[in-house]
Amino acid sequence: MNQESPERHIRNSKGTIRLPIIVSITLVAGMLIGSTFFSGGKKLTDVAKGYAKFREVLMLVENNYVDSVNTEELVDYSITKMLEKLDPHTAYFNSEEATAARSQLESGFDGIGVEFNIYNDTVYVVTPLSGGPSEAAGILSGDRIMSVNKEPLSGPGVTNAQVYKLLRGKRGTKVEITIERVGLADKMDFAVVRDRIPTYSVDAAYMVDSEVGYIKVSRFSETTFDEFKTALKTLKADGLKKLILDLRGNPGGYMERATSMADEFISGDKLLVYTEGKDSRFDRKTRSHVDGNFEKGPVIVLVDEGSASASEILAGALQDHDRALIVGRRSYGKGLVQMPVKLSDGSELRLTISRYYTPSGRSIQKPYELGKGDDYSQDLSHRYESGELFNADSIKFDKTKEYKTDGGRIVYGGGGITPDVFVPRDTTLNSKYLVELYSKNIIREYALRYANENQKKLEKQTFDEYLNSFQISDAMLSELVKDATRAGIRLNEKELNHSKPVIQSQTKAIIGRYVWGRKQKGGLNNEVYRVLNPTDNVYQRAVLLFGKASELEEGNFSSLNTRK
């Protein structure tokens, strides 16, 4: 065994030589960004001192540490831990994470165009996306993807990230996919050419009856406003007079899409949102300025604890101007604005630069302490434990942050948008057995198989006929239970009967989507929502509240006891 002499000269690897150059370039770029975009911070000499110390430690570790190290991982870890000392929403994404995060908000991605599910270490095609290359190639719902470009894609350890990496890629490139299909003994090989796959954020848009329309928006991405305008125009042509806008579970996205949507409802020149930061160059005010497509007519907006950021901008503007009745539960409470800064290696820093405020002056940001992100992340658990998700009286208002809407109604800042009409979370039909069915995708997989086996028979009727007459039979339920038992879920008859209505409605909704939803244009999942909404307690309450929404629109605030 050869040993090195203690007096040896420490030699740098090529990577070590490049490291200070890369870090120095990054520092210079950071200084330029700082001098261009920021002011009023610490002197650059203080920043340089901190950088010099970090560089010194990093070089010592790289050159002298007893084991080999991954320098890039160390740097990423250091940045992440540093940012944990700031607010809960300033964040760092490595290049892969940044690309994936951006793809959720951009107009689409390049890939083969399938929605997939991983179940029992197998990748199942939920549905080929309408008009996409997989549909054109003949891939069907229920197909099992066994390998991609001869790389196995089944067995223990298969992950979503692995599937994304193999299926997504530059448009025009070919992907060799091996498929197993129910009813066929031999595997099938497909050559699929990747193409641009659009992403959608308006999940549903349909008429509930001759006057009431429903639109579900799942996030605020590049195309959200255009999708919304198209949906609204279609519904107006169908007789829309009253609207339910569902923002539940919407985590936000681009602020400009939310304010553009608010402008469709709010007339005249009115403030929609404003931001204030340490640097006045990040202060801005956004006002309504266009003739919107629904400035008259009662509006009900649904929110819950999953509605955040841009969702709260929209709900807050409509509430402050007395333009919509807000129904549901208190929203998430994210009122910090992040500026994405793309770094030299493709990674991204999302830096909090300001706070946003609703027209009445409310900051929606819920309280936090610097460096205590763990406590902050437990807020929703605390809401559950305190009973806030089930009882309006459990919501604690900060009386020092009392504001008024245009019509003089009292609203509160300091932690999300509090609804005008509270509706509790409905857990009455939950059970451990139901949770286990969800966790192993039993309902979804059974519905997929049933739809594939009975598609021709089901397609002989319209979706409306299916909606009104089709029932999940006891025989079907027994087959689903057998699937669950084979997957290791022990049958509990009492819990099965307790959760039976949920299991039946979920199964019916998914079958409807598989059979008729593929024909929908624009990414709409109307079939799912048309089955499930009538069983949703928040939706059920909302359709009965248009009397109050109309009073609100007419300015009749005295008789509008919206806090009950």
Side-chain angles (χ1 to χ4, degrees), residues 236-530:
K236 286 189 71 176
D238 290 338
L240 176 69
K241 298 291 189 297
K242 308 170 185 177
L243 179 65
I244 297 174
L245 178 61
D246 193 345
L247 300 179
R248 289 176 295 171
N250 184 322
Y254 293 123
M255 183 178 76
E256 292 80 4
R257 306 306 188 273
T259 54
S260 294
M261 195 179 296
D263 206 351
E264 292 297 302
F265 297 102
I266 296 173
S267 62
D269 176 26
K270 296 187 179 71
L271 184 63
L272 300 177
V273 67
Y274 67 95
T275 61
E276 291 182 352
K278 180 169 64 178
D279 189 329
S280 61
R281 279 174 284 187
F282 295 118
D283 296 351
R284 60 180 295 188
K285 292 183 178 180
T286 303
R287 307 184 69 88
S288 59
H289 63 280
V290 303
D291 293 328
N293 284 320
F294 203 74
E295 292 182 351
K296 292 184 178 180
V299 180
I300 294 175
V301 176
L302 309 185
V303 298
D304 66 7
E305 57 280 357
S307 307
S309 190
S311 297
E312 296 171 296
I313 291 175
L314 175 54
L318 295 177
Q319 187 178 51
D320 281 1
H321 290 305
D322 301 301
R323 182 63 190 93
L325 189 72
I326 311 300
V327 177
R329 296 183 292 278
R330 183 166 65 99
S331 62
Y332 183 88
K334 180 183 180 295
L336 298 176
V337 182
Q338 284 72 49
M339 179 179 73
V341 182
K342 193 171 183 179
L343 305 181
S344 57
D345 65 344
S347 58
E348 186 173 284
L349 173 65
R350 294 192 179 180
L351 187 66
T352 297
I353 55 169
S354 59
R355 289 180 170 82
Y356 72 71
Y357 299 82
T358 70
S360 66
R362 288 184 286 170
S363 170
I364 296 168
Q365 178 60 43
K366 59 189 176 185
Y368 66 89
E369 292 184 54
L370 290 177
K372 294 190 176 181
D374 288 342
D375 290 344
Y376 182 84
S377 65
Q378 296 299 311
D379 174 62
L380 297 184
S381 296
H382 296 330
R383 295 192 200 188
Y384 182 91
E385 293 164 0
S386 70
E388 180 184 325
L389 302 183
F390 307 98
N391 191 330
D393 293 335
S394 296
I395 302 175
K396 305 301 180 184
F397 297 109
D398 186 342
K399 299 296 184 180
T400 67
K401 297 177 180 177
E402 185 176 293
Y403 299 85
K404 289 187 177 180
T405 70
D406 291 353
R409 297 185 301 134
I410 295 174
V411 289
Y412 294 94
I417 298 294
T418 300
D420 299 313
V421 178
F422 174 84
V423 183
R425 177 186 283 187
D426 184 7
T427 59
T428 55
L429 297 178
N430 286 358
S431 68
K432 182 181 177 183
Y433 188 73
L434 178 63
V435 171
E436 289 179 320
L437 292 180
Y438 284 144
S439 68
K440 293 194 175 182
N441 285 318
I442 300 300
I443 296 174
R444 189 182 191 116
E445 298 307 324
Y446 172 77
L448 170 61
R449 189 174 76 247
Y450 183 89
N452 279 330
E453 292 173 354
N454 297 275
Q455 183 170 345
K456 291 183 178 179
K457 178 177 69 175
L458 291 167
E459 284 182 332
K460 291 179 180 179
Q461 59 186 324
T462 66
F463 176 75
D464 284 341
E465 291 170 338
Y466 169 83
L467 179 66
N468 294 326
S469 64
F470 187 85
Q471 300 292 330
I472 302 299
S473 66
D474 288 341
M476 293 173 66
L477 203 59
S478 295
E479 289 298 318
L480 188 150
V481 168
K482 288 178 183 177
D483 287 352
T485 303
R486 282 192 290 267
I489 301 174
R490 186 175 179 180
L491 174 60
N492 184 312
E493 290 278 2
K494 183 178 179 180
E495 292 183 358
L496 170 64
N497 290 327
H498 180 74
S499 299
K500 185 176 178 179
V502 177
I503 298 171
Q504 289 175 318
S505 61
Q506 289 280 344
T507 304
K508 180 176 178 177
I510 297 170
I511 292 172
R513 181 192 176 195
Y514 287 148
V515 176
W516 288 276
R518 302 173 192 176
K519 301 173 185 177
Q520 286 275 6
K521 301 298 181 183
L524 297 177
N525 293 312
N526 287 346
E527 292 76 19
V528 169
Y529 289 93
R530 289 182 66 188

Side-chain angles (χ1 to χ4, degrees), residues 95-116 123 129 133-134 145 147-149 151 153 159-177 192-200 219:
S95 57
E96 288 186 1
E97 292 168 338
T99 299
R102 282 193 296 269
S103 73
Q104 298 301 311
L105 294 178
E106 293 171 352
S107 58
F109 58 89
D110 292 348
I112 69 166
V114 292
E115 181 181 334
F116 67 88
V123 180
L129 301 182
S134 289
I145 302 178
S147 67
V148 176
N149 292 334
E151 182 172 333
L153 202 57
T159 65
N160 286 318
Q162 183 183 4
V163 180
Y164 284 133
K165 184 177 180 180
L166 290 172
L167 298 185
R168 291 187 179 184
K170 187 177 180 180
R171 73 184 75 177
T173 55
K174 186 179 293 186
V175 188
E176 301 289 342
I177 301 177
V192 183
V193 178
R194 295 186 180 100
D195 201 352
R196 190 67 174 170
I197 309 300
T199 56
Y200 299 101
R219 63 183 180 275

